[in-house]
Amino acid sequence: MMKKTMIAGLLALFSLSAAANETLVVGATPVPHAEILEFVKPTLAKEGVDLQVKVFNDFIQPNQQLAEKNLDANYYQYRPFLDDYNKSRHTNLVPVVGVHIEPFGAYSTKYKSLSELPEGATIAIPNDPVNTGRALVLLSEAGLITLKHPEDPQSTQKDITANPHHFKIRPLEGAMLARAVSQVDLAFIFANYALEAGIDTDKALIVEKGKSLYIEYLVARPDNINDPGIQKLAKALNSDAVRQFILTKYQGKIAPGF
């Protein structure tokens, strides 16, 4: 009888332990997002959360998969992009915590300065509405074009009022920009794709750094934002350990955003 009681007790303890473990599936782009998530995996495991990182190479699927509940959260985007996605796709994805800021820059394999760009040079920019405007604002600030509203991040090519050097502005999908840099004269590339492609972000001919508007967020849904696993992940991503990991591993190429 005692033996049966002990076995029952052990089974009950095992069941409680199993129930305490929560699986969290989080979508992320490879660098630095997935790397940062991998860094916090052991911390979450100690707290009963099995973090599974699903890597994506585009900017649409992580939000779509989250909205369809195939993911519990994602980590790859900043607020203007998220807001635009929610508006255009009629979703209600919500930011949880901001984690880091990436520089956004323009690179060239052919020229070492903007003054070397020839007449009619081809400039590749991101093709999504939010980042199109972001790139155009930087081109305007560099004096290469003139915009109707120079500081408006929602600017489109229709808002270009002067293009004295007849630059050809070519919109491309964000993930394609790093691969296209050698095929154009200048390409705007997100730091995550630049780092992944081995591009030295210190060699950008135009760079935007440290704008709080572009802090990258952990994102969830209204129905799960307060789940214990999501909150444990949020706490881990905003920890001193992650801050130090970002500072040490990326050497200033990206910065903590909390």
Side-chain angles (χ1 to χ4, degrees):
M1 187 62 138
M2 186 179 290
K3 188 174 181 181
K4 287 183 179 180
T5 303
M6 287 178 64
I7 292 171
L10 287 170
L11 287 172
L13 184 63
F14 177 78
S15 297
L16 285 171
S17 175
N21 289 324
E22 177 181 355
T23 299
L24 207 61
V25 183
V26 180
T29 42
V31 181
H33 309 80
E35 293 177 343
I36 293 171
L37 289 171
E38 291 291 343
F39 174 75
V40 301
K41 255 189 180 183
T43 299
L44 291 172
K46 292 175 184 176
E47 298 182 19
V49 178
D50 175 20
L51 177 61
Q52 297 182 6
V53 182
K54 188 172 181 181
V55 177
F56 293 85
N57 285 297
D58 74 283
F59 289 163
I60 301 301
Q61 282 298 313
N63 275 340
Q64 185 174 324
Q65 294 294 315
L66 177 58
E68 293 173 357
K69 299 189 177 182
N70 296 320
L71 297 174
D72 298 302
N74 67 43
Y75 168 39
Y76 78 106
Q77 65 194 312
Y78 43 75
R79 285 296 298 271
F81 186 89
L82 174 62
D83 292 344
D84 182 75
Y85 184 91
N86 279 332
K87 183 178 178 181
S88 62
R89 304 296 178 107
H90 307 291
T91 52
N92 190 27
L93 305 179
V94 289
V96 186
V97 290
V99 183
H100 76 272
I101 305 174
E102 297 177 7
F104 178 54
Y107 301 84
S108 178
T109 59
K110 300 176 182 178
Y111 308 105
K112 294 184 178 180
S113 70
L114 294 177
S115 61
E116 294 178 20
L117 288 174
E119 293 287 317
T122 299
I123 300 175
I125 66 172
N127 66 355
D128 65 273
V130 174
N131 290 305
T132 290
R134 191 179 180 188
L136 292 176
V137 166
L138 288 174
L139 286 173
S140 174
E141 289 175 351
L144 299 181
I145 62 171
T146 302
L147 291 175
K148 187 185 299 181
H149 304 290
E151 296 181 0
D152 183 7
Q154 299 297 320
S155 295
T156 69
Q157 290 196 58
K158 292 180 181 179
D159 296 310
I160 298 173
T161 58
N163 181 5
H165 300 289
H166 310 290
F167 294 133
K168 299 179 184 72
I169 297 177
R170 182 182 172 194
L172 291 175
E173 199 274 321
M176 294 291 295
L177 291 163
R179 282 173 271 175
V181 66
S182 62
Q183 300 166 32
V184 297
D185 297 295
L186 188 71
F188 281 87
I189 304 173
F190 301 102
N192 59 317
Y193 289 126
L195 291 169
E196 189 182 351
I199 296 170
D200 185 353
T201 56
D202 291 332
K203 292 186 177 179
L205 301 190
I206 304 174
V207 67
E208 168 207 86
K209 279 192 173 183
K211 284 192 178 179
S212 60
L213 180 65
Y214 298 114
I215 292 173
E216 310 260 322
Y217 277 82
L218 174 69
V219 173
R221 298 184 306 273
D223 65 281
N224 74 347
I225 189 172
N226 292 317
D227 285 359
I230 296 289
Q231 291 302 311
K232 288 175 182 177
L233 175 56
K235 184 179 178 181
L237 288 173
N238 275 183
S239 66
D240 288 339
V242 164
R243 181 189 300 277
Q244 193 56 50
F245 175 77
I246 290 172
L247 292 172
T248 302
K249 182 171 179 63
Y250 302 107
Q251 297 291 305
K253 296 185 186 302
I254 69 169
F258 60 93

